[in-house]
Amino acid sequence: ARGWDVIPSHTNFLFARPPAGDGGNLYAHLKQKGILVRHFNKPGLADRIRISIGTHEENTELLAALP
């Protein structure tokens, strides 16, 4: 619904590309808000972030912090 490209996962994390396609900027934005995700500054991966599944409250906080 938010325009993300999410790779199907059977794990406790999502590997996703935000609509703007800039994982590095989104990583910095979320880190500034105290929300930690993983960013890989490597060719073919830099446009995505890895989001670990947290508690309901943590997931709600993440969604509220997304631009």
Side-chain angles (χ1 to χ4, degrees):
R2 292 181 181 228
W4 287 63
D5 176 41
V6 181
I7 295 174
S9 177
H10 296 284
T11 64
N12 67 338
F13 65 88
L14 301 173
F15 201 52
R17 180 176 50 239
D22 192 345
N25 280 340
L26 183 57
Y27 165 79
H29 168 79
L30 292 173
K31 185 176 179 183
Q32 190 174 45
K33 295 188 172 288
I35 298 172
L36 300 179
V37 297
R38 186 98 189 254
H39 178 250
F40 302 92
N41 193 15
K42 305 275 185 200
L45 300 175
D47 61 340
R48 297 182 178 272
I49 58 172
R50 178 185 155 170
I51 305 168
S52 294
I53 305 303
T55 64
H56 177 73
E57 292 79 17
E58 290 168 334
N59 294 338
T60 300
E61 193 174 324
L62 168 69
L63 290 173
L66 294 174

